[in-house]
Amino acid sequence: MASSPAPHAIASLSVEEKDRVRAQLDRLLQSSHFRNSKRYPALLRYIVEETLEGRGPLLKERTLGVEVFTRPGDYDTASDPIVRVTIAEIRKRIAQYYHEDAHSSELRIELTPGSYIPEFLPGREHEPEVAAEPSSAAHLAPVVPETASTPHRRHWLLPVLAGVFVLLAGAGFAGWHRMRSTPMDDLWRPLFASDGPITYCLPMSVHRKGPGWANTTEQAVAHALDLADTTLPASGTFFDHQVIGENVVFSDVIAMMKLESVVEQQHRPVRVRLNLGTNLNELREGPAIFIGGLSNQWTLKLIDPLRYRFAGSDAESYYIRDRQHPDNKQWSIRLRDKMTTVNRDYAIIARVHCEPLGSVCLIAAGIGMSGTAAAGEFLANPERVRELENRIGRANRDRDFEAVLTTAVEDGIAGPAEVVALDVR
């Protein structure tokens, strides 16, 4: 753990200065980076308030898990990394907030890697000059304990300045690299920012009524909530497991292979899980890519609060429903039509901060098999991703988004997909 500010250092802040920190916290939490979340604001507000009250050294992983996320006192922090995952995401969102020019001069609330104790620093444009008189902002920059080595600062001033120069040079390079980033970099960067193995979650091919089957979309979503921590049954015979439909659809594999052509360049551990063969704890260990729509309960759960979601039933048709125009069913497939007459499929792609998992997720899900394959191809195609970013806007490239795709289908084979609707969150 990084060194922590001592209680007396925090106590040296005046009531007015503490109020300034709280006001800045409110601004931060009301920004687009936090306001649509419940988990991240709750944890950030808790650690800031505890630190201002002088209890920063008591902020430990288990304490936060119990106090903020209502975990039992003896919960296993190794198998349930919710605190570490959430802190990492908070740290990233704070960096995104202060990266914007409009916020660069504001009082900064920082989280040093390896610590749960926030630090409070002045904005970049408000840092005091060498010859200036100490100001209230200087008292906040940074909040660290005084030590006996203060009189000997001259001995380590030059090494510190050299270190600062290296850090600034690195930051300048990072900014330069970011300006040169491609649309593919922008699309995938938030996903790769999370630590841990990258998990592909594919739906099982279910050939009969059983786990994961639902007659209507509403039932499927309800079933998804029930399956949040369910795994494949450990009991039963070998034959039972063979006939349960523990297989995957070919088009889902095609989508995964397309996406893997991008993921493999990260040289990170990758694993593949079936939708009924994984659980929340496993998915929280790193970024996840969810493939398939109506047959993947995880996908249904994650897109349920978004603008676009799957709707319909086996009796008539499945379609993508727009919450803002619920009567519009133009993106639909009639399930009873002859296969040879179905010449178009639709899909949802999304990059969202998944509250249940505490990380960024990527979704590629079609109404039909062709739609899922086309969605995977789209997310791995630099030209298609460039078109997507042009619609999102480069200024919004780090924000969550959801898009509806359409693709021409011939003999069950999907063509290139195009964006027909987009929602940036």
Side-chain angles (χ1 to χ4, degrees):
M1 285 289 180
S3 60
S4 305
H8 73 269
I10 296 295
S12 66
L13 294 180
S14 67
V15 173
E16 180 183 3
E17 289 167 340
K18 290 182 181 181
D19 287 342
R20 288 177 53 209
V21 171
R22 292 187 175 100
Q24 179 60 28
L25 175 64
D26 289 338
R27 279 192 291 271
L28 188 60
L29 297 184
Q30 290 168 9
S31 72
S32 60
H33 303 284
F34 286 92
R35 64 172 175 249
N36 294 323
S37 169
K38 294 181 180 178
R39 174 180 298 173
Y40 308 129
L43 181 55
L44 181 55
R45 185 177 293 280
Y46 182 87
I47 61 177
V48 168
E49 288 293 340
E50 289 296 293
T51 301
L52 290 178
E53 295 301 320
R55 295 188 289 270
L58 302 179
L59 294 175
K60 308 298 182 183
E61 180 179 2
R62 184 177 302 280
T63 302
L64 296 175
V66 173
E67 296 296 328
V68 180
F69 300 116
T70 64
R71 295 296 195 264
D74 59 348
Y75 89 102
D76 185 358
T77 57
S79 62
D80 186 354
I82 186 171
V83 173
R84 299 192 302 275
V85 169
T86 306
I87 282 289
E89 182 62 27
I90 289 174
R91 188 179 296 116
K92 183 179 70 176
R93 294 193 182 200
I94 288 176
Q96 292 172 347
Y97 176 85
Y98 287 113
H99 179 75
E100 299 171 3
D101 292 339
H103 307 302
S104 61
S105 63
E106 297 176 1
L107 185 150
R108 302 176 71 87
I109 298 175
E110 300 283 4
L111 272 174
T112 304
S115 174
Y116 297 122
I117 306 174
E119 294 181 353
F120 313 117
L121 303 91
R124 295 173 185 170
E125 298 177 10
H126 290 170
E127 292 182 1
E129 298 179 0
V130 174
E133 290 294 324
S135 66
S136 60
H139 296 162
L140 290 169
V143 177
V144 294
E146 298 180 359
T147 65
S149 61
T150 302
H152 305 286
R153 285 179 180 175
R154 292 182 181 179
H155 296 290
W156 49 262
L157 181 59
L158 288 179
V160 168
L161 290 176
V164 169
F165 175 79
V166 171
L167 289 175
L168 290 176
F173 175 79
W176 172 79
H177 177 74
R178 182 173 176 82
M179 291 194 313
R180 295 184 66 255
S181 65
T182 67
M184 285 290 284
D185 295 331
D186 297 336
L187 170 67
W188 288 86
R189 183 190 302 108
L191 185 84
F192 295 147
S194 299
D195 297 327
I198 299 171
T199 301
Y200 290 98
C201 182
L202 278 68
M204 288 171 50
S205 175
V206 179
H207 301 293
R208 62 179 177 83
K209 295 182 181 180
W213 176 88
N215 190 46
T216 67
T217 302
E218 288 72 19
Q219 289 174 327
V221 173
H223 196 54
L225 299 176
D226 294 335
L227 290 173
D229 286 295
T230 300
T231 58
L232 290 171
S235 60
T237 65
F238 175 82
F239 180 76
D240 291 334
H241 280 258
Q242 295 301 299
V243 300
I244 196 173
E246 193 176 337
N247 302 292
V248 295
V249 174
F250 179 70
S251 60
D252 294 340
V253 176
I254 293 296
M256 184 183 71
M257 291 176 63
K258 293 293 185 180
L259 297 171
E260 178 59 18
S261 67
V262 179
V263 173
E264 67 177 355
Q265 300 175 29
Q266 299 297 308
H267 305 291
R268 290 173 57 172
V270 173
R271 59 192 183 188
V272 181
R273 296 290 185 268
L274 293 178
N275 62 318
L276 298 184
T278 189
N279 54 52
L280 276 174
N281 287 337
E282 188 173 45
L283 292 173
R284 286 171 178 152
E285 294 174 2
I289 302 173
F290 296 90
I291 297 175
L294 293 162
S295 53
N296 192 334
Q297 90 278 9
W298 295 102
T299 299
L300 294 176
K301 181 177 181 180
L302 292 171
I303 68 173
D304 188 48
L306 305 183
R307 174 174 174 178
Y308 305 111
R309 52 173 292 190
F310 296 107
S313 70
D314 295 344
E316 183 180 352
S317 65
Y318 280 110
Y319 63 97
I320 295 176
R321 180 178 182 270
D322 183 351
R323 289 184 184 275
Q324 296 185 9
H325 305 283
D327 295 331
N328 183 2
K329 298 183 180 181
Q330 61 175 322
W331 309 314
S332 65
I333 295 180
R334 295 174 57 87
L335 274 66
R336 303 305 176 186
D337 287 353
K338 295 290 186 182
M339 181 64 185
T340 53
T341 66
V342 177
N343 57 16
R344 190 153 293 278
D345 201 349
Y346 302 92
I348 291 175
I349 59 171
R351 186 191 66 199
V352 294
H353 289 79
C354 305
E355 287 296 324
L357 308 183
S359 63
V360 175
C361 306
L362 200 64
I363 295 170
I367 294 179
M369 296 181 290
S370 302
T372 297
E377 163 69 25
F378 186 99
L379 292 170
N381 186 305
E383 289 305 315
R384 299 297 177 187
V385 171
R386 184 182 302 277
E387 296 170 4
L388 174 65
E389 184 171 274
N390 288 339
R391 296 191 59 165
I392 293 175
R394 196 159 177 81
N396 298 323
R397 58 189 173 181
D398 290 329
R399 296 176 62 180
D400 291 354
F401 73 86
E402 183 187 25
V404 178
L405 306 181
T406 181
T407 178
V409 178
E410 184 174 352
D411 297 327
I413 305 300
E418 298 179 353
V419 177
V420 293
L422 175 68
D423 183 46
V424 180
R425 302 168 61 82

